[in-house]
Amino acid sequence: MLKTFKVGALALTLSLGVVAAAAITGPGAHAAAAAGPTVNIDNFVFGPEALTVPVGTTVTWVNRDDIPHTVVANDKSFKSKVMDTDEKFSFTFTKPGEFGYFCSLHPHMVGKVIVKAA
């Protein structure tokens, strides 16, 4: 009986943890993260190749290709890890300017984010 109680208590603890995590991240948190612009990586291309956003915008790159890619700023201000299929990388642009970037695994893949002052 004691063994059953421990397993039940563990299951209850795990369930409460899942509920708490859902409350913290909630649907609003996911919606806010998804609301920013997205650059898709597909067929060895960043799309859109050029993106214009206001200062303070978080841009998310999503690897939709079936091979790994990276996102690396020409000025090294941001750099993703190697992303497999469906993995994401996000960066918030806090100053105006033009930020060129490329895939370090496939340097012919290039794009840019143009950040305008508010």
Side-chain angles (χ1 to χ4, degrees):
M1 182 159 162
L2 185 56
K3 192 180 250 184
T4 304
F5 177 75
K6 284 183 181 179
V7 171
L10 178 59
L12 177 61
T13 302
L14 290 174
S15 295
L16 290 175
V18 169
V19 170
I24 291 169
T25 57
H30 296 292
T38 299
V39 176
N40 287 308
I41 304 167
D42 196 9
N43 200 26
F44 293 90
V45 174
F46 292 109
E49 185 177 332
L51 182 66
T52 302
V53 299
V55 168
T57 300
T58 299
V59 175
T60 300
W61 288 262
V62 181
N63 184 6
R64 301 288 185 206
D65 220 338
D66 58 356
I67 62 167
H69 292 290
T70 66
V71 178
V72 180
N74 293 345
D75 68 0
K76 308 296 186 243
S77 58
F78 56 89
K79 179 180 180 182
S80 74
K81 66 177 185 68
V82 174
M83 297 182 292
D84 285 324
T85 303
D86 294 328
E87 289 189 317
K88 299 175 184 181
F89 168 73
S90 295
F91 182 78
T92 301
F93 292 88
T94 58
K95 61 182 182 179
E98 190 170 301
F99 300 87
Y101 62 88
F102 62 99
C103 173
S104 62
L105 302 174
H106 313 99
H108 67 279
M109 293 175 57
V110 297
K112 68 180 167 182
V113 177
I114 303 158
V115 184
K116 301 285 186 175

